[in-house]
DNA sequence: GCGTTATCGTACAAAATGTACGTTAAAATA
DNA sequence: TATTTTAACGTACATTTTGTACGATAACGC
């Protein structure tokens, strides 16, 4: 653990806070580096001592917020990876996390941001899922692990994104339950479908 | 049907082709309007006679390519919306369509593009699905139609995006089948799971 | 053929970017 | 506390891209 100059930490925190405040005010795309450093009360040149561009700052900011979720998730998975209760808990953690920072995340996931943060989040989820799937031998899987991971991550993120954009019309608990139900059993027992499935 | 000056059609086609060629060469983000008009052998000022910015051109270009898919899909749905065979065909159409233009789509969906085209595509899919679901009375649905549509669209797009980025390691047919299976029945019968589902 | 108008050719102002460098002041260290 | 280190300031400058303007030219529709 290297020691970092307090001034550096302070500057980065100011930039992070300014970015979040401005994203909520005007959306990510509109912002210039000048805007951000103005809000943070720093010189524009100072920005370049820390980040190459707007995107790098955004990703660093997101990574910070995301680390909380990662830690919770990993301590949870430590117990027993694929049990039904654990799954529900994992979904619930995710929805609660997004709820707590919904103003930021709804802008980000929305794709208002030029940067595709959702992609990064999806990649993290996929890695997490592949790790969990790695414990079970591949011959027990009827489909490739990669496909399963992409499916689960994609479905969850789609529901999460919609939920935020729609103004969170259901509770995090309800969303977690619906998400688990759909990912586990699909739409077959939810829709009145003809039963000619291959 | 208004008649459009042939010069206008020609110019827009040139811009569209230049955009696609340059995206494949260097990625969307790198491009300036000057680059595009250079490639198209047009004046930069001419660009602004047709589109407000890069994004508007991209969306128009995508819409064009997308219309093919839309027409196929709508004629398919005309028959009987939710039958198993129809579902599989719908997935297959989508994967084949993406396959035919995979170089463009893999760049676009990847999120290399600053614009979140995936969002637009998802929105279209959701609208299509909501239309299909509208025929069935809501009290027969165990979950809100909106949630179901978001789930299906999200899962399909996730698998499609992954497939393209991974270099299409399976056939479109295989992908359509896996997608249908997962969306219909989830992961429960694919994973060796404990059976304590709520 | 004749009126219409899309595109050309060129120009200009404004905004944002990326970098440079001496100065100031806060932090780390001894 | 004294000294060294260095982050941030303050300012400047070249470059790139953008958006718009406008008369001239040539292709188009009728």
């Amino acid at each position: 653990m290297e020691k970092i100059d307090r001034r550096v930490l302070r500057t980065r925190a100011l930039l992070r806070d300014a970015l979040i405040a401005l994203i909520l005010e005007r959306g990510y795309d509109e912002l210039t580096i000048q805007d951000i450093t103005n809000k943070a009360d720093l010189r524009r040149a100072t920005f370049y001592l820390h980040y190459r561009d707007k995107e790098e700052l955004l990703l660093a900011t997101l990574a910070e917020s995301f680390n909380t979720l990662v830690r919770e998730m990993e301590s949870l998975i430590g117990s027993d990876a694929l049990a039904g209760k654990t799954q529900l808990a994992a979904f619930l953690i995710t929805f609660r996390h997004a709820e707590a920072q919904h103003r930021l995340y709804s802008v980000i996931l929305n794709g208002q941001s030029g940067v595709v943060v959702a992609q990064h989040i999806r990649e993290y989820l996929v890695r997490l899922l592949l790790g969990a799937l790695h414990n079970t031998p591949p011959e027990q899987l009827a489909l490739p692990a990669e496909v399963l991971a992409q499916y689960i991550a994609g479905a969850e993120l789609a529901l999460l994104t919609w939920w935020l954009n729609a103004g969170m019309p259901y509770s995090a608990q309800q969303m977690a339950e619906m998400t688990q139900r759909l990912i586990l059993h699909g739409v077959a027992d939810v829709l009145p479908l003809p039963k000619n499935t291959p």
Side-chain angles (χ1 to χ4, degrees), chain A:
Chain A
M1 212 55 161
E2 324 165 13
K3 280 196 180 172
I4 301 180
D5 196 314
R6 281 146 53 199
R7 287 171 294 180
V8 172
L9 296 177
R10 177 175 174 278
T11 297
R12 291 189 183 158
L14 286 171
L15 288 174
R16 166 172 51 73
D17 294 347
L19 178 72
I20 293 180
L22 286 175
I23 284 181
L24 297 176
E25 275 177 32
R26 296 160 43 196
Y28 175 82
D29 285 330
E30 302 308 312
L31 306 179
T32 68
I33 294 178
Q34 184 75 65
D35 292 333
I36 299 171
T37 50
N38 278 349
K39 187 92 174 185
D41 201 28
L42 294 169
R43 295 290 136 181
R44 190 167 61 87
T46 303
F47 178 93
Y48 293 102
L49 296 176
H50 297 275
Y51 306 102
R52 194 148 26 80
D53 50 30
K54 237 183 9 171
E55 175 167 341
E56 198 169 295
L57 171 60
L58 178 65
L59 290 179
T61 301
L62 258 286
E64 229 175 293
S65 145
F66 211 62
N67 277 342
T68 320
L69 177 62
V70 171
R71 274 191 292 273
E72 285 185 79
M73 203 67 99
E74 278 167 357
S75 77
L76 180 71
I77 294 205
S79 49
D80 54 344
L82 293 178
K85 255 187 169 175
T86 308
Q87 288 167 30
L88 184 61
F91 290 131
L92 192 54
I93 284 176
T94 309
F95 280 98
R96 281 208 209 286
H97 176 79
E99 188 176 37
Q101 321 200 24
H102 65 98
R103 301 221 302 152
L104 178 61
Y105 273 89
S106 67
V107 175
I108 297 296
L109 288 174
N110 211 353
Q112 304 284 357
S113 87
V115 191
V116 189
V117 179
Q119 222 71 17
H120 287 260
I121 298 181
R122 194 209 311 270
E123 276 162 27
Y124 164 71
L125 270 181
V126 166
R127 253 178 290 136
L128 203 74
L129 288 163
L130 280 178
L133 288 172
H134 205 61
N135 297 331
T136 66
E139 61 269 14
Q140 287 194 35
L141 298 176
L143 297 178
E146 190 77 21
V147 171
L148 292 176
Q150 293 288 341
Y151 160 75
I152 296 174
E156 177 171 10
L157 271 180
L159 291 173
L160 179 62
T161 304
W162 166 79
W163 181 58
L164 290 175
N165 286 338
M168 301 180 288
Y170 304 96
S171 71
Q173 176 74 35
Q174 286 176 305
M175 285 306 298
E177 283 167 7
M178 291 195 281
T179 303
Q180 189 192 26
R181 174 169 180 177
L182 284 172
I183 288 179
L184 273 183
H185 301 112
V187 298
D189 62 337
V190 169
L191 286 177
L193 285 180
K195 309 212 162 180
N196 51 350
T197 51

